[in-house]
Amino acid sequence: MSVFLQGLYEGIINGSILALIAMGIALVWGVMNILSFSQGEFLMLGMFVSYYANRLLGLDPIVAMPLSALVLFVLGIIIYKLIIARALRGPILSQRLITFALSMVLVYSAQLFFGAEYKTLSNPVKFSGTIDLGFLTIAKQKLVPFLLALIVAGLLFWFLRYTRMGKAIQATSMDRYAAGLVGINPDRAYTISFALASAVAGAAGCALTYYYYLYPNVGATFQLWGFIAVAMGGFGSITGAFLSGLLMGIADTLTGLYVNTAIKYIGVCVVFLVAVSFRPKGIFGK
Amino acid sequence: MKKFLSFFLAVTMIFTLAACGNNTNSGNQNGSAGDGQSDGNTIRIGVLTPLTGSSAQLGNQVAAIYQMLTDVINEEHPELTMAMAASAGITSMDGAKLELVIADHKSDATTAVSEAKRLITEQNVVAICGEFTSAIAKAVAVVTEQYEVPLIVSCSAVSLTDGTNDFQWFFRYAITDETYIKDTFDFMNYLNENYDAGIKTIAMFSEDSEFGANIVPIEEKYAAEYGYEIVEKINYSSSATNLTSEVLKIKEADPDVLLMSSFVSDALLFFNTCKEQKYTPNFIIGQRGGFIQSDYLTAMGDENNYICTTGSWASDINTDVTKELVDLWANSSYNTEKVDLMDSHVKDAMNLLFLAMAIEQAGTTESTALREALLNLDYDMDTLMIPWNGISFNEYGQNTQSNGFVTQYYDGAYHTVFPAAGASMEPVFPMPEFDY
């Protein structure tokens, strides 16, 4: 029983990172109708911010998290203004592929400037250690991605539903031109959405450095599962992306634990296939 | 302002791409791209290594050691014991100098194949060596067989030389997984007999690509032969986003010895996950892979203490050539990262030395003569970097007299613990607990 509980708990924790990536992708897709292939690379950049904050300033990732989110938010604005906004005026294929090209530039730039070798945090992390409950072992640092996913999901929900800008973003996602007619600046709504998605990935990257190694291609590993979580939750649904990420983490861990570790990702894919068989637009898709 | 920023970003990207490309070409520093001729005074050697991608650190280090070794061979070093060092260049070819043409395979088989073709057809290299995984070596061997150019590798998959491929231009002086794994089980018997270790059960933790998949059946064979019970067998993807279920299963089985076939990233993730689960394996023996790479050791630091790995070279081997080599590398201008010399570096460096010796022996770079020389190399074991039992090839291009040993990490370096005759440290069994 304790192994099952441990597996269930770890599944939720592992799924939190997927949920965080998926929420960023869902936000960009839901508002701008662009599949953000660079979300994994924003996660990678967040990890590098965390790594250097730890190495140069001795900061814990949890302390570096606001800095990382801010850096990625600003970077998101710059990238949107200089690249994405222009591509949005072009043909649909360009819109879809522009973030793919961007992801390649970010990976190779990281390789050039930070090196291709594997890195882990070099200075001791203060927020670490385990809490042993007898039936459950809780690694403190692994609570960070879970709590972050909860906070981000809550904040995004609140922001989109109850703030003026959030409502403007929702209106723009429904009909960009109609939103413009009632005085909403669609370009501003797009900019904020893209930057917010980047900031979420930046914060997730910080949380990930607590237990995962860092290298320029690290984003691709998580991004694919992020896309599946978005498709399973329903394109554009933040709640769907969050819950699907957690569900995928649980499926991954329990399949590995009770079926076979060699095919644990089949378990995840079976859950996805079943979900879209019953709900082709995703669990929360409309 | 926006236009200026766009222009600035575009220029930055172009410079980034140019610099990335430069990284690849920088390996070609000795090769004058385009003319593609090995004239009488220079002999072009193709070096395929990952300069970018996930194994870039090791690949660049191997390229650097090759450059250092090429300088040693091309210049006169009468003070050194190492083969090919005393005189300048290839004396049987009027002192012809070696010239490396270094290419980046990016740890990608498709890139490796196209780069191997380019090295042979455009750069006219006489042979190819470098840093390979077994999967990449297998892909490149198809090209070198087609063009009848010698390929010399040190990766360890048995399937490369078990006759299934019938390679004629493939050479492996280094040992295969079969020998490494036999060493592993001999070591466990040695621990039981001499240190009362009481080892009865083992678990296997193997990544699922060519490397790990080749090792699993050999470990199973020796476990049955030596009478050890396998209590858990884990196959996993080295690019997994987590290894939680894998660690939970190992923890539940709690084997006396855990045998790991892992690369750098997955080994790091495994140990992090173990600590999260407050679990220290009783004893760990790695099968080289990530365990002998510098980025793994840098990331692990003292947490790697008492972890064992099989290997074929360690800095504590008490030979003149080993001391010379360690000293040369420590003071080399090519050692820009100031990393210690490791097993993975030396195995690859040996291949360049063997190639130079074969050219010296053949007195020509004609491929058939070079192949004959590689197969029937005259050598003095006291002048080689790794003191193997000997060199003699079977019909599949495998040296049958190479041998390995087991090392245990302590205080910043691996120390030989088995076989006892070459040991510089007593093995510590079981491992102390990790610091949770």
Side-chain angles (χ1 to χ4, degrees), chain B residues 215-292:
Chain B
I215 286 174
V216 169
I218 308 171
E219 286 181 340
E220 286 175 327
K221 183 183 87 174
Y222 279 105
E225 198 175 299
Y226 282 63
Y228 290 102
E229 184 193 352
I230 300 172
V231 291
E232 189 56 79
K233 193 171 77 175
I234 301 284
N235 295 319
Y236 68 94
S237 165
S238 61
S239 58
T241 55
N242 69 82
L243 291 174
T244 309
S245 52
E246 289 83 351
V247 169
L248 287 175
K249 287 179 99 163
I250 294 282
K251 183 181 179 182
E252 205 179 7
D254 197 20
D256 295 329
V257 173
L258 176 62
L259 305 180
M260 289 182 68
S261 310
S262 304
F263 295 122
V264 175
S265 53
D266 39 326
L268 294 175
L269 184 58
F270 173 82
F271 290 118
N272 265 345
T273 312
C274 279
K275 285 194 279 181
E276 285 162 15
Q277 297 301 326
K278 292 189 81 172
Y279 172 62
T280 305
N282 198 41
F283 198 65
I284 293 171
I285 306 176
Q287 290 299 342
R288 297 143 287 117
F291 290 92
I292 55 170

Side-chain angles (χ1 to χ4, degrees), chain B residues 190 318 416-424:
Chain B
Y190 169 75
N318 192 20
T416 308
V417 289
F418 180 78
S424 63

Side-chain angles (χ1 to χ4, degrees), chain B residues 132-211:
Chain B
F132 298 85
T133 61
S134 298
I136 287 180
K138 198 176 270 186
V140 171
V142 175
V143 178
T144 50
E145 290 293 309
Q146 183 190 348
Y147 290 95
E148 300 189 344
V149 168
L151 171 66
I152 314 169
V153 305
S154 54
C155 50
S156 59
V158 175
S159 62
L160 286 164
T161 52
D162 63 359
T164 50
N165 299 297
D166 194 27
F167 294 143
Q168 298 296 307
W169 297 86
F170 183 90
F171 302 88
R172 178 163 53 190
Y173 292 89
I175 54 183
T176 67
D177 291 329
E178 180 88 26
T179 313
Y180 284 124
I181 293 161
K182 185 175 182 307
D183 285 345
T184 304
F185 283 84
D186 284 338
F187 177 50
M188 290 194 290
N189 277 359
Y190 169 75
L191 287 172
N192 279 342
E193 288 159 12
N194 296 279
Y195 294 90
D196 202 17
I199 301 167
K200 293 189 180 95
T201 60
I202 60 167
M204 293 151 60
F205 184 80
S206 316
E207 65 85 38
D208 60 6
S209 76
E210 189 89 10
F211 169 56

Side-chain angles (χ1 to χ4, degrees), chain A residues 39-57:
Chain A
Q39 200 66 14
E41 278 60 50
F42 292 142
L43 176 94
M44 173 268 290
L45 291 176
M47 291 181 83
F48 270 110
V49 172
S50 176
Y51 171 79
Y52 282 107
N54 175 264
R55 184 174 154 181
L56 303 175
L57 307 171

